[in-house]
Amino acid sequence: KDYRVIVADSRGHGNSELGTNNLNYVQMADDWAALVERLQLDSVHIVGWSDGGIIGLLMAINHPEKVKKLVAMGANLQPGKEAIYDWAYNWVRKLNGFIEQKIAEDDTSKDWFLVKQQMDLLRTQPDISLEDLQHIESPVLIMAGDNDIIREEHSVLMYQNIPNAQLCIFPGETHFIPATD
């Protein structure tokens, strides 16, 4: 009765078109800010999981006037082994090779170009600095599972660098908390 829930597919996900040859999180955060504007909302509470958490962080950094509060679950600041566990990093690298092979074979069983763009998000992005986090003005809750793809210490680092942040690490949970619990 007090809130309206808005759920939309990000660019290149679900039923939303890719609309570009270079999918990136900054672009998707700008899309979401444009959606908030289009809906004539002053600002919103954001609950973002994984890519959605990254997009939420970027909205709080690049469009601070649009974000009242943010929950970022399973988000990271950079790709690579500093942010994600080795097994996840190796899985992404292996999957990228498989996707490249499918593209080279002209396989049409999936839109492999789109899948490559989505996987490149994991492989090469985001690029959020600790200094960027320190400029976030809205209250933020950083959440992750203690068996998440994202290193626990990376989630703690994010929490430590956002001025008005809280941290929640779920014991015994993975990156897929919304689906499993």
Side-chain angles (χ1 to χ4, degrees):
K1 111 182 178 193
D2 296 321
Y3 296 94
R4 174 170 50 158
V5 177
I6 301 165
V7 181
D9 293 330
S10 292
R11 179 187 297 248
H13 292 75
N15 291 320
S16 291
E17 293 180 8
L18 182 60
T20 183
N21 287 332
N22 183 22
L23 185 63
N24 65 74
Y25 288 117
V26 172
Q27 180 183 61
M28 289 190 285
D30 290 346
D31 290 344
W32 279 89
L35 176 63
V36 171
E37 189 72 28
R38 173 81 175 165
L39 295 174
Q40 299 179 345
L41 303 171
D42 292 330
S43 58
V44 294
H45 299 306
I46 298 173
V47 177
W49 168 42
S50 199
D51 283 0
I54 295 166
I55 292 167
L57 288 168
L58 287 168
M59 279 192 64
I61 293 164
N62 298 330
H63 305 279
E65 72 287 354
K66 301 282 182 214
V67 181
K68 285 182 190 172
K69 293 182 181 179
L70 168 63
V71 176
M73 180 184 304
N76 57 301
L77 303 176
Q78 299 90 23
K81 294 181 178 183
E82 294 79 27
I84 63 175
Y85 287 104
D86 290 348
W87 65 266
Y89 179 81
N90 293 334
W91 173 78
V92 168
R93 285 184 54 225
K94 183 178 178 181
L95 187 56
N96 186 63
F98 175 77
I99 293 166
E100 292 289 353
Q101 178 184 347
K102 291 295 187 183
I103 291 171
E105 294 171 354
D106 291 327
D107 184 293
T108 58
S109 62
K110 283 189 178 186
D111 183 348
W112 292 108
F113 179 75
L114 175 61
V115 174
K116 178 177 175 23
Q117 291 293 311
Q118 293 168 340
M119 289 308 297
D120 280 350
L121 290 173
L122 290 171
R123 215 171 48 77
T124 66
Q125 298 179 50
D127 184 18
I128 302 171
S129 72
L130 295 179
E131 184 179 343
D132 289 337
L133 292 182
Q134 293 163 6
H135 291 100
I136 294 177
E137 298 173 5
S138 57
V140 177
L141 173 60
I142 299 294
M143 296 170 52
D146 67 354
N147 293 313
D148 208 302
I149 292 169
I150 308 303
R151 291 182 179 275
E152 194 171 334
E153 59 269 24
H154 190 73
S155 296
V156 171
L157 182 67
M158 292 168 58
Y159 154 73
Q160 290 172 332
N161 282 277
I162 299 173
N164 192 10
Q166 293 184 330
L167 175 67
C168 179
I169 304 291
F170 291 93
E173 292 292 345
T174 69
H175 190 69
F176 302 99
I177 300 167
T180 60
D181 193 356

